[in-house]
């Protein structure tokens, strides 16, 4: 059963939840390749100085601040087309452009001037980010239309965690095997191309079963008459969003806590390669250990979140997640590092599972308050924070290791540089996660409010489906 449509009084089936989640797999594979594997590829094989990578991500963050909310508002304004559809059609347009930009970035040459490499990477990152952001926001909006209740959204989030991490593993197998230890440029490029070929197939398989009908968008396409253009609407909607205490506190939480969790893998590569002097297969074993631990615990997180509520669950997960990062500052060997990363990773994924339902509750709360559904705007602002915040962490990490004397392209690093890697991989995320507790304390949607908003969303769909 590939069709996601369902009567309002019937829950999604297991297969429908799976098909709804599946586009996250190729999307996450793309994200891991770009924001993790390519960073080490460009510093270690192409020879780009870390300070240039940090500068790229600083510019990248400014670009995200402009395009993400605008894309979200544009998606809200975009009308359903009887022949083409809406969100699924847009996702199908974005996927090939994302693949092209990713593929092009592989072919930078070490012989180029550093500023040429800088410009080459920046241009294709801009293309990649614009299409990937549009794809991600469209998918997030589509999931919220299809999964109406908090229970369904948590179930979809658990399945999404599985498929996202499978996609993430396909993206991390290259850097763990080939960018830790000895570096073979030609073999690395060949395997990058092979993974992108697999990614192309995954995009096709993931998007083919998704269906859309006009009924799904009856409420989505309600717009006011006094439009001011996309950017005018962005400013008006951002002002509206800032009136939401729920949204503001979640924004602050994401700024502080989501970035370190999203940007763990690049420091993981530097820890494995330079601090621990591991072989590629050892880094892959460590990566697999984290993934296996997640696969065992993810269903438990879903049960836990539905029982305790989203806010309470995230609060309890933050402390051990921060502790896992803190331990990385002191690890001395392979087994200590595995333990630290497993602790960090499984609790970071518990936080991640709760994020999508929390944003869904905020969108429902705003619709309840204003009478208009602005999923694109909220998910656009969410993308504004989740993607650039990871970029901010990249800039901070690269800045720290550069300050401590890391030498790009050199296999041997000074003790001072190794300490910089440990601080960037462990102490920095630890501090950010602890600070993230503060705004979370003021997040107003508790379990009782979650249930109220879930009923509101379900009843709204029943009204739309009524003849």
């Amino acid at each position: 059963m590939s069709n996601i449509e369902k009567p309002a009084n019937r829950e999604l089936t297991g297969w429908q939840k799976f098909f709804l989640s599946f586009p996250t797999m190729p999307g996450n594979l793309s994200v891991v390749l770009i924001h993790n594997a390519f960073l080490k590829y460009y510093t270690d094989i192409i020879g780009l100085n870390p300070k240039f990578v940090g500068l790229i991500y600083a510019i990248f963050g400014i670009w995200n601040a402009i395009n993400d909310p605008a894309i979200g508002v544009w998606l809200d304004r975009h009308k359903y087309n009887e022949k083409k559809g809406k969100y699924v059609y847009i996702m199908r347009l974005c996927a090939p452009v994302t693949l092209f930009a990713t593929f092009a970035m592989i072919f930078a040459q070490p012989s180029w001037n550093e500023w040429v490499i800088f410009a080459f990477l920046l241009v294709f990152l801009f293309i990649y980010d614009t299409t990937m952001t549009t794809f991600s926001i469209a998918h997030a909006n589509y999931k919220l239309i299809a999964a109406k209740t908090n229970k369904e959204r948590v179930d979809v989030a658990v399945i999404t965690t599985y498929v996202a991490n499978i996609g993430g593993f396909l993206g991390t197998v290259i850097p763990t095997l080939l960018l830790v230890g000895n570096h073979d440029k030609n073999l690395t490029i060949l395997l990058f191309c092979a993974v992108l070929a697999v990614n192309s197939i995954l995009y096709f398989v993931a998007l083919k079963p998704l269906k859309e009908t006009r009924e799904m968008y009856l409420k989505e396409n309600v717009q006011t008459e006094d439009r001011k253009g996309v950017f005018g609407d962005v400013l008006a909607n951002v002002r509206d969003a800032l009136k939401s205490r729920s949204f503001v506190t979640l924004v602050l939480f994401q700024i502080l806590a989501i970035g370190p969790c999203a940007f763990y893998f690049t420091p993981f590569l530097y820890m494995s390669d330079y601090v621990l002097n591991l072989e590629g297969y050892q880094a892959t074993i460590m990566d697999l250990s984290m993934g296996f631990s997640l696969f065992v615990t993810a269903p438990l997180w879903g049960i836990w979140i539905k029982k305790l509520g989203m806010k309470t669950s995230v609060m309890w997960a933050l402390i051990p997640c921060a502790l896992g990062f803190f331990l990385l500052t002191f690890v001395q060997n392979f087994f200590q590092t595995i333990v630290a990363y497993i602790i960090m990773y499984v609790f970071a994924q518990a936080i991640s599972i709760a994020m999508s339902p929390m944003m869904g509750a905020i969108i429902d709360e705003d619709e309840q308050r204003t009478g208009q559904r602005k999923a694109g705007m909220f998910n656009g602002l969410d993308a504004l924070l989740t993607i650039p915040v990871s970029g901010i962490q990249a800039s901070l990490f690269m800045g720290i290791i550069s300050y401590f004397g890391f030498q790009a392209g050199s296999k041997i690093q000074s003790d001072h540089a190794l300490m910089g890697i440990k601080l960037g991989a462990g102490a920095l995320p630890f501090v950010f996660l602890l600070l993230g507790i503060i705004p979370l304390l003021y997040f107003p949607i508790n379990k009782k409010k979650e249930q109220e908003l879930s009923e509101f969303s379900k009843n709204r769909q029943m009204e739309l489906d009524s003849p």
Side-chain angles (χ1 to χ4, degrees):
M1 181 185 295
S2 60
N3 198 330
I4 301 298
E5 305 162 47
K6 67 181 180 70
N9 59 350
R10 186 182 302 167
E11 289 190 359
L12 291 169
T13 66
W15 276 112
Q16 287 172 328
K17 292 172 185 176
F18 172 77
F19 284 120
L20 195 55
S21 305
F22 194 48
T24 307
M25 182 185 291
N28 199 47
L29 199 165
S30 296
V31 170
V32 169
L33 281 176
I34 296 296
H35 292 294
N36 294 287
F38 276 16
L39 290 187
K40 199 163 189 296
Y41 175 71
Y42 267 80
T43 59
D44 286 17
I45 291 182
I46 305 301
L48 186 62
N49 193 300
K51 68 182 180 183
F52 283 99
V53 178
L55 179 59
I56 284 173
Y57 271 88
I59 298 171
F60 196 49
I62 296 171
W63 171 242
N64 273 282
I66 298 170
N67 80 353
D68 289 0
I71 289 170
V73 170
W74 174 75
L75 285 170
D76 282 339
R77 291 160 56 103
H78 187 76
K79 291 185 178 296
Y80 172 82
N81 183 290
E82 292 288 352
K83 293 183 179 179
K84 297 177 180 178
K86 184 178 178 179
Y87 293 135
V88 175
Y89 171 69
I90 290 169
M91 290 160 65
R92 287 170 179 164
L93 288 179
C94 290
V97 183
T98 300
L99 286 164
F100 165 75
T102 308
F103 184 79
M105 277 184 267
I106 299 172
F107 295 98
Q109 298 299 315
S111 59
W112 294 353
N113 179 277
E114 278 200 307
W115 283 107
V116 174
I117 298 172
F118 170 87
F120 180 85
L121 179 58
L122 185 63
V123 167
F124 281 105
L125 270 176
F126 272 39
I127 297 171
Y128 158 82
D129 176 70
T130 302
T131 55
M132 191 70 244
T133 297
T134 307
F135 180 95
S136 300
I137 296 173
H139 184 217
N141 291 356
Y142 183 72
K143 286 193 294 184
L144 292 178
I145 291 173
K148 293 296 179 183
T149 66
N150 182 63
K151 179 179 179 297
E152 286 183 337
R153 289 171 182 171
V154 171
D155 290 339
V156 169
V158 171
I159 298 171
T160 297
T161 298
Y162 278 104
V163 298
N165 278 274
I166 292 172
F169 172 74
L170 292 174
T172 61
V173 68
I174 290 175
T176 53
L177 284 174
L178 298 180
L179 297 180
V180 174
N182 295 322
H183 305 151
D184 186 321
K185 180 176 182 290
N186 292 330
L187 182 58
T188 301
I189 289 175
L190 180 63
L191 286 183
F192 268 135
C193 292
V195 169
L196 284 174
V198 172
N199 203 21
S200 303
I201 296 170
L202 288 174
Y203 272 117
F204 176 80
V205 172
L207 296 177
K208 184 174 175 58
L210 302 184
K211 308 292 182 183
E212 297 178 286
T213 64
R214 172 170 291 280
E215 288 70 29
M216 296 174 71
Y217 296 102
L218 289 177
K219 195 72 173 178
E220 296 290 314
N221 286 323
V222 173
Q223 300 286 347
T224 57
E225 296 298 324
D226 56 337
R227 287 182 171 180
K228 305 172 183 178
V230 171
F231 285 99
D233 283 354
V234 167
L235 294 175
N237 286 334
V238 167
R239 285 196 296 268
D240 227 15
L242 293 178
K243 298 175 184 177
S244 167
R245 178 178 157 191
S246 303
F247 182 71
V248 170
T249 51
L250 188 66
V251 162
L252 293 173
F253 171 74
Q254 290 185 100
I255 289 173
L256 293 168
I258 295 300
C261 295
F263 184 74
Y264 80 91
F265 188 70
T266 298
F268 165 84
L269 293 176
Y270 283 82
M271 286 282 293
S272 300
D273 199 4
Y274 298 106
V275 176
L276 301 171
N277 295 312
L278 301 182
E279 296 297 329
Y281 76 90
Q282 292 175 301
T284 303
I285 289 172
M286 191 150 51
D287 192 34
L288 283 171
S289 299
M290 289 187 281
F292 178 76
S293 300
L294 169 66
F295 272 54
V296 172
T297 57
L300 302 177
W301 295 143
I303 296 169
W304 192 41
I305 291 168
K306 284 186 280 190
K307 182 177 180 179
L308 297 181
M310 297 177 293
K311 175 181 175 178
T312 303
S313 301
V314 172
M315 186 72 72
W316 280 108
L318 269 174
I319 303 299
C321 182
L323 177 62
F325 275 116
F326 184 67
L327 292 175
L328 291 174
T329 312
F330 305 99
V331 294
Q332 299 293 327
N333 57 51
F334 175 67
F335 294 104
Q336 291 174 0
T337 309
I338 284 182
V339 171
Y341 268 115
I342 287 176
I343 293 171
M344 176 280 296
Y345 192 69
V346 296
F347 285 98
Q349 293 305 307
I351 297 169
S352 177
I353 288 170
M355 284 295 100
S356 179
M358 286 174 84
M359 183 55 65
I362 290 172
I363 292 168
D364 290 339
E365 182 188 47
D366 180 75
E367 183 183 3
Q368 190 181 54
R369 178 173 63 88
T370 66
Q372 291 187 353
R373 188 166 184 82
K374 301 188 284 284
M377 186 274 293
F378 277 105
N379 279 314
L381 288 178
D382 186 50
L384 166 65
L385 296 164
T386 56
I387 296 175
V389 164
S390 181
I392 290 169
Q393 290 292 320
S395 296
L396 289 172
F397 176 76
M398 290 297 175
I400 287 173
I401 67 173
S402 181
Y403 176 79
F404 275 80
F406 180 86
Q407 298 297 314
S410 173
K411 182 61 181 174
I412 305 300
Q413 301 293 336
S414 67
D415 290 342
H416 204 52
L418 297 181
M419 177 55 67
I421 293 173
K422 281 189 172 186
L423 291 175
L428 178 68
F430 169 72
V431 172
F432 269 77
L433 261 75
L434 290 185
L435 290 174
I437 294 174
I438 298 172
L440 190 61
L441 289 170
Y442 294 94
F443 184 73
I445 300 179
N446 54 24
K447 186 178 179 182
K448 181 179 178 182
K449 183 66 175 177
E450 286 175 33
Q451 294 170 338
E452 175 191 321
L453 293 171
S454 187
E455 284 300 311
F456 166 77
S457 178
K458 184 167 64 174
N459 292 336
R460 165 187 165 277
Q461 186 61 36
M462 291 178 67
E463 291 172 5
L464 292 176
D465 288 346
S466 298

